[in-house]
Amino acid sequence: MSSSQELISLGVETSCDDTSLALYSSQRGLIDYILSSQANLHKEYNGIVPELCSREHTKNLYFLFPRLLERNHLTKSDINFMSVTTSPGLILSLLVGVAFGVGISYALDIPFVPVHHIEAHIYSVFLEYDIKYPFLALVVSGGHTEIHLIKGFEDYELVGKTLDDAAGEAFDKGAIALGLDYPGGPAIEKFLLDKSPKLIDFPIPIKDDRIVFSFSGLKTFLKENKDKYSKEDLVYSYQEAIVNHLIRTLKKAIEKTGVRCIVVVGGVAANKRLREKLKSMDIELYIPSIKFCTDNAAMVSLVGDMRFKKGFYYTKKDLTYIKLEPHLSLEAFIKSLKTKN
Ligand code: KG4
Ligand code: ZN
């Protein structure tokens, strides 16, 4: 395949509870993406049920795939390679997407490009902006809360991460404790829409200069004070405490690295209060549109296209070497690319 020829890839994202596919052009960028959210299904159980996730992914993929192709007037034979999230995530959820990707790669004899979910979130901003290196990426999702220094493509350094829960998990668990729906972030925002709450002082996590996050103390304080304050004051102050902790830790990372170009990604980056506070900081800030903050295959296909152009992919003969690892860190994943087989 010559580099001037347009190549079309199919992105696959099934690491948690959203099933998503995307079509991406090596020359024109994102063509289209499709998504099926399972939020309503898991709401009933106040959180994600892994077994249900994988069953839903299996059902969803087989109607999303033809629908995406049809509405773009493409057929399977127009796909030149696959870009698939292989780590991290729920093992059974990853397995469905990887099996789907491997199956298509094998059947069509096209390359398979592995993508790390956190890397995909970080690069989701490139779907809308062109950003110069280096930059700091604050990743705030349901499973991860970490800051990476991004020096170039595949040149990443972990600056700090959470010691316990992720920010999204804190929103989700707090919302359930207060009788609100899953997922917690959007439920908390919706609840606060028509309220005029007062601020309650929550404990401040990590008062020293370590660049780490911790949300368990906030959650404990919330549960212990449930009967002492009004629900609206508690919900509002809990959100303020989470957002302030994210901002304070980000400031420490900026101070340590001297990097002022900041990218904020992941489901929690959709939070209006967080976006408001970030915008008031003296930094060069990039946050994706809400639709690209939460899980989607558009961001996976963008990274897959970059990795393919660098020449890393599995072909039919080495598909069995694909590693599907639910807990692999971003830096360990990049290292693993150097030792493919
Ligand atoms: O990135 P994501 O879609 O999936 C993971 O990779 O985890 O993030 C999902 C998380 C959930 O915990 C959800 O409560 C949170 O993102 N979230 C929000 C908002 N929208 C989604 N948190 C705060 N405010 C929001 N508007
Ligand atoms: Zn995610």
Side-chain angles (χ1 to χ4, degrees):
M1 295 168 203
S2 87
S3 58
S4 57
Q5 184 192 337
E6 180 183 41
L7 296 179
I8 291 176
S9 53
L10 180 72
V12 183
E13 164 58 44
T14 65
S15 66
C16 193
D17 62 337
D18 290 309
T19 322
S20 182
L21 295 174
L23 287 165
Y24 196 92
S25 154
S26 59
Q27 293 176 346
R28 296 174 286 139
L30 182 67
I31 300 170
D32 193 10
Y33 77 103
I34 195 162
L35 185 140
S36 175
S37 166
Q38 302 178 11
N40 282 336
L41 178 75
H42 298 281
K43 208 172 254 179
E44 205 184 313
Y45 304 93
N46 284 343
I48 287 173
V49 184
E51 165 68 20
L52 282 184
C53 284
S54 53
R55 282 196 221 173
E56 286 303 301
H57 286 315
T58 310
K59 283 193 262 170
N60 291 343
L61 282 172
Y62 289 92
F63 75 83
L64 293 178
F65 184 39
R67 188 179 293 174
L68 181 66
L69 286 175
E70 265 162 43
R71 75 183 190 196
N72 289 283
H73 312 291
L74 294 169
T75 65
K76 283 197 257 290
S77 56
D78 293 310
I79 303 169
N80 298 109
F81 65 94
M82 302 295 294
S83 301
V84 183
T85 304
T86 54
S87 303
L90 300 169
I91 181 93
L92 291 176
S93 292
L94 289 168
L95 187 64
V96 176
V98 171
F100 176 78
V102 166
I104 295 180
S105 285
Y106 190 85
L108 301 179
D109 196 4
I110 56 174
F112 178 109
V113 184
V115 176
H116 191 277
H117 184 72
I118 298 301
E119 184 181 32
H121 270 304
I122 293 170
Y123 278 85
S124 64
V125 277
F126 285 76
L127 290 163
E128 300 168 295
Y129 306 100
D130 196 12
I131 301 160
K132 301 262 176 308
Y133 298 104
F135 60 86
L136 280 179
L138 170 63
V139 183
V140 274
S141 71
H144 296 85
T145 294
E146 41 200 54
I147 301 174
H148 297 266
L149 172 61
I150 311 296
K151 294 175 268 188
F153 182 57
E154 297 182 348
D155 189 3
Y156 317 136
E157 188 184 313
L158 180 69
V159 178
K161 64 176 188 169
T162 185
L163 298 175
D164 41 59
D165 290 347
E169 203 177 350
F171 271 109
D172 295 340
K173 289 179 177 170
I176 298 304
L178 294 167
L180 300 175
D181 272 344
Y182 171 85
I188 284 176
E189 283 196 327
K190 194 169 157 213
F191 174 78
L192 289 172
L193 273 182
D194 54 351
K195 310 280 187 306
S196 318
K198 291 185 293 297
L199 187 68
I200 304 161
D201 278 337
F202 267 65
I204 296 174
I206 316 292
K207 287 199 177 120
D208 55 44
D209 57 3
R210 281 174 302 155
I211 305 174
V212 289
F213 300 92
S214 173
F215 299 96
S216 58
L218 300 181
K219 196 179 59 194
T220 306
F221 182 87
L222 179 76
K223 286 182 177 166
E224 284 175 352
N225 289 277
K226 248 172 79 177
D227 302 324
K228 204 166 150 197
Y229 301 101
S230 77
K231 182 167 168 176
E232 64 181 72
D233 291 352
L234 272 174
V235 173
Y236 170 71
S237 308
Y238 184 60
Q239 174 177 255
E240 286 296 296
I242 294 174
V243 168
N244 288 341
H245 180 41
L246 291 173
I247 300 276
R248 279 193 32 249
T249 314
L250 177 62
K251 282 183 178 165
K252 290 190 227 172
I254 294 172
E255 206 165 293
K256 182 184 170 195
T257 60
V259 175
R260 305 192 75 79
C261 179
I262 312 296
V263 154
V264 184
V265 295
V268 179
N271 185 267
K272 290 189 191 65
R273 195 69 180 124
L274 176 63
R275 291 167 94 98
E276 212 173 274
K277 292 210 172 193
L278 286 165
K279 281 178 192 157
S280 70
M281 288 171 72
D282 178 24
I283 51 175
E284 186 185 339
L285 176 69
Y286 299 94
I287 316 177
S289 305
I290 307 275
K291 65 180 183 207
F292 292 135
C293 286
T294 45
D295 290 349
N296 64 84
M299 62 189 192
V300 177
S301 59
L302 181 141
V303 174
D305 184 69
M306 292 171 83
R307 178 148 300 129
F308 183 84
K309 283 171 178 158
K310 272 195 87 176
F312 186 96
Y313 48 81
Y314 294 92
T315 57
K316 195 168 187 170
K317 67 174 175 11
D318 54 16
L319 284 174
T320 49
Y321 293 108
I322 292 167
K323 298 175 192 89
L324 183 162
E325 292 179 59
H327 299 296
L328 198 62
S329 74
L330 176 55
E331 284 71 15
F333 171 84
I334 297 301
K335 228 181 193 170
S336 78
L337 298 179
K338 312 269 180 313
T339 53
K340 190 161 98 183
N341 302 344

